[in-house]
Amino acid sequence: MDAFFASVEQASKPSLRGKAVVVGGLGPRGVVATASYEARVFGVHSAMPMAQARRRAPNAAYLVPRFALYRSISEQVMGLLRALSPLVEPLSLDEAFVDLEAGGAAWDERSARLAGAKLRADIRAATGLTGSVGLAASKMLAKIASEQAKPDGLVLIEPGTERALLGPLPVRTLPGVGPATGDHLRRAGIHTVDELAEAGEDELVRLLGKAHGQALFAMALARDERPVVAERETKSVSVEDTYDVDIHDRVRVGTEVRRLADRCVRRLREAGLSGRTIVLKVRRYDFSTLTRSETLRGPTDDPAVVREAAARLLDSVDTTGGVRLLGVGVSGLADYTQEDLFAQAAGVPADESPHEEAEAAPAPEPETPAERRWPAGHDVRHAVYGHGWVQGSGLGRVTARFETPGSEPGRVKTFRVDDPALQPAEPLPLVSRRPGEDEGAGAGGGTRTESR
């Protein structure tokens, strides 16, 4: 998918179509998750510190991610891929490998092009968004082709042309060559894939070690025998937060760990999973990162159990000097809980287990309007103006623009943060565009969007 998070935001917000949009953490330590192609013109890219992005593109719209919406659209796209083949290997919410031959969708160059073209059209019809397709005889080459196809294109690497295509490309093009490996190769005078192949396997093993050296030499010769592996099993579920200011108060650290434990359990339950091993992650003021884990007697999805285990793990960590990141995870996953087993042994259905009922955490108190957070880009509904989204908030005020995916660019209004007429809302479905309709249609009448 092309600039996925940013493209979703543009599709759902008419005033942002054709404008620079940056999605990510908006705090002082936030980083860019995705930048629209309009923002990339200014040099903004993913993983860039948000402060640097703001300096490069001060007039862009800066939005907090809406992951629930992104996941729902991703599921639509993955469904289209699975209709093509039983062998679909998701890499992230917006990217996947598909073995077209396994599903009978393609067997030669012509049928592959037709399958790729139909897929792009189906994605556009289902979501209103664009995707880019790379077609090749191996995963490595298909990935490279998809990057060359962006945005909104299709590239097929014909068999027999692989070496000629790869040769002049920089070594960073190959998977597994990150900044550190790239710098190491550059110091050895190796800049392109051709130079990597010319160096020979023995030299690469000497420079990078046996496994890495042999793998890179094979890729430089366009050899990649890795199969497409259908949906990998989830090994863990975790959540973490990076804080704008280091936390020094030990009580606050404990409160944050409990909150993260509850969020982690919610994710577990949404996935219908439980786990035996609780993991705590702490990144301290000096960037040193500590992890601690505890394995329970059986799998659980009980928030009280996970909170208590995480608190015990925190007791063994020195947080003197401050904490910049905290995380809680659960691994050793299963699709049942220890409580289910107890219930079954007693002849009680799992959903009526008295043990589970007694241990259930109390429901959180509903937040008052004054306690609400108003993340930039998130959805709201007003009793008079209808559906909209937050442009920014601060100093006791929240500014919202009222528009929907299918409307014209909407009006902007400012309210007190505790105005009872303004409520957080769920995202609206994206409106699919008609075939041939210009993606930027309807964007011309909007005023400039600023996010504070």
Side-chain angles (χ1 to χ4, degrees):
M1 301 299 289
D2 299 323
F4 182 48
F5 297 172
S7 294
V8 171
E9 298 301 340
Q10 289 175 319
S12 65
K13 299 173 171 66
S15 59
L16 297 186
R17 292 172 192 163
K19 307 290 181 64
V21 174
V22 181
V23 180
L26 301 190
R29 291 175 177 164
V31 297
V32 175
T34 309
S36 70
Y37 288 98
E38 295 85 354
R40 295 180 193 188
V41 171
F42 299 99
V44 179
H45 57 77
S46 61
M48 171 181 283
M50 192 61 76
Q52 184 179 353
R54 288 184 183 276
R55 289 193 295 270
R56 293 192 178 191
N59 293 324
Y62 288 87
L63 309 177
V64 175
R66 296 187 292 167
F67 286 112
L69 177 59
Y70 307 153
R71 278 193 291 270
S72 69
I73 296 170
S74 173
E75 288 167 5
Q76 285 182 275
V77 176
M78 295 297 174
L80 294 174
L81 300 184
R82 293 187 185 97
L84 286 174
S85 172
L87 292 183
V88 176
E89 182 178 340
L91 300 182
S92 60
L93 287 177
D94 64 338
E95 188 173 13
F97 288 118
V98 185
D99 187 330
L100 293 177
E101 189 177 30
W107 51 92
D108 59 11
E109 178 185 337
R110 181 176 178 276
S111 59
R113 284 188 184 276
L114 290 173
K118 182 177 184 302
L119 173 63
R120 292 179 57 233
D122 289 346
I123 289 173
R124 182 70 174 254
T127 68
L129 304 175
T130 64
S132 295
V133 172
L135 296 158
S138 71
K139 289 165 69 171
M140 175 189 73
L141 292 165
K143 168 71 172 171
I144 291 171
S146 72
E147 293 298 324
Q148 293 182 340
K150 288 182 176 293
D152 193 18
L154 181 151
V155 167
L156 182 144
I157 299 177
E158 298 180 14
T161 68
E162 294 95 343
R163 288 289 302 277
L165 179 140
L166 282 177
L169 297 178
V171 292
R172 287 289 304 276
T173 305
L174 299 180
V177 182
T181 301
D183 286 344
H184 199 47
L185 293 171
R186 178 179 53 78
R187 288 195 295 271
I190 299 172
H191 302 88
T192 67
V193 176
D194 262 344
E195 291 170 344
L196 200 64
E198 290 166 5
E201 185 173 18
D202 291 344
E203 177 64 9
L204 295 178
V205 167
R206 187 186 68 80
L207 287 170
L208 305 171
K210 185 174 180 180
H212 201 19
Q214 288 178 339
L216 280 188
F217 182 68
M219 286 190 285
L221 300 180
R223 297 174 186 161
D224 180 15
E225 302 300 327
R226 295 173 301 159
V228 175
V229 180
E231 195 98 43
R232 292 170 179 163
E233 184 180 355
T234 302
K235 295 189 185 328
S236 64
V237 173
S238 63
V239 297
E240 61 182 45
D241 277 343
T242 300
Y243 301 99
D244 296 341
V245 178
D246 289 351
I247 302 176
H248 293 83
D249 181 4
R250 183 76 178 187
V251 174
R252 166 85 189 285
V253 172
T255 300
E256 290 296 315
V257 166
R258 289 191 295 275
R259 184 178 61 82
L260 289 166
D262 287 344
R263 280 173 52 196
C264 185
V265 168
R266 282 199 295 273
R267 287 194 181 181
L268 268 181
R269 289 182 166 182
E270 287 170 2
L273 297 170
S274 60
R276 297 182 66 235
T277 302
I278 315 303
V279 181
L280 175 71
K281 178 180 177 181
V282 179
R283 181 165 299 150
R284 299 189 291 189
Y285 69 98
D286 58 358
F287 287 89
S288 61
T289 302
L290 305 175
T291 58
R292 299 287 186 270
S293 64
E294 175 181 321
T295 299
L296 308 174
R297 287 179 296 176
T300 186
D301 64 354
D302 189 322
V305 172
V306 177
R307 279 197 302 266
E308 290 166 7
R312 286 194 298 271
L313 294 170
L314 180 61
D315 289 339
S316 67
V317 176
D318 180 10
T319 60
T320 305
V323 170
R324 60 185 294 119
L325 177 146
L326 290 168
V328 174
V330 177
S331 61
L333 301 181
D335 57 3
Y336 63 90
T337 67
Q338 190 67 46
E339 288 84 351
D340 294 336
L341 297 180
F342 291 145
Q344 291 165 13
V348 182
D351 57 358
E352 298 176 11
S353 166
H355 176 81
E356 189 171 345
E357 184 177 343
E359 292 293 325
E365 292 294 323
E367 60 182 3
T368 64
E371 294 171 334
R372 291 194 195 114
R373 296 176 60 197
W374 301 98
H378 281 224
D379 298 82
V380 294
R381 176 166 291 280
H382 190 272
V384 175
Y385 302 109
H387 192 93
W389 56 278
V390 176
Q391 283 200 180
S393 62
L395 302 177
R397 297 287 189 272
V398 55
T399 299
R401 184 185 287 273
F402 293 95
E403 58 188 7
T404 65
S407 75
E408 293 297 313
R411 66 175 71 181
V412 176
K413 296 286 183 181
T414 298
F415 310 90
R416 292 179 58 88
V417 294
D418 58 355
D419 189 330
L422 188 70
Q423 299 287 332
E426 293 297 315
L428 298 177
L430 302 186
V431 175
S432 298
R433 299 183 184 87
R434 293 182 297 275
E437 184 176 346
D438 181 14
E439 185 172 1
T447 58
R448 189 179 76 177
T449 297
E450 295 180 356
S451 194
R452 297 192 297 275

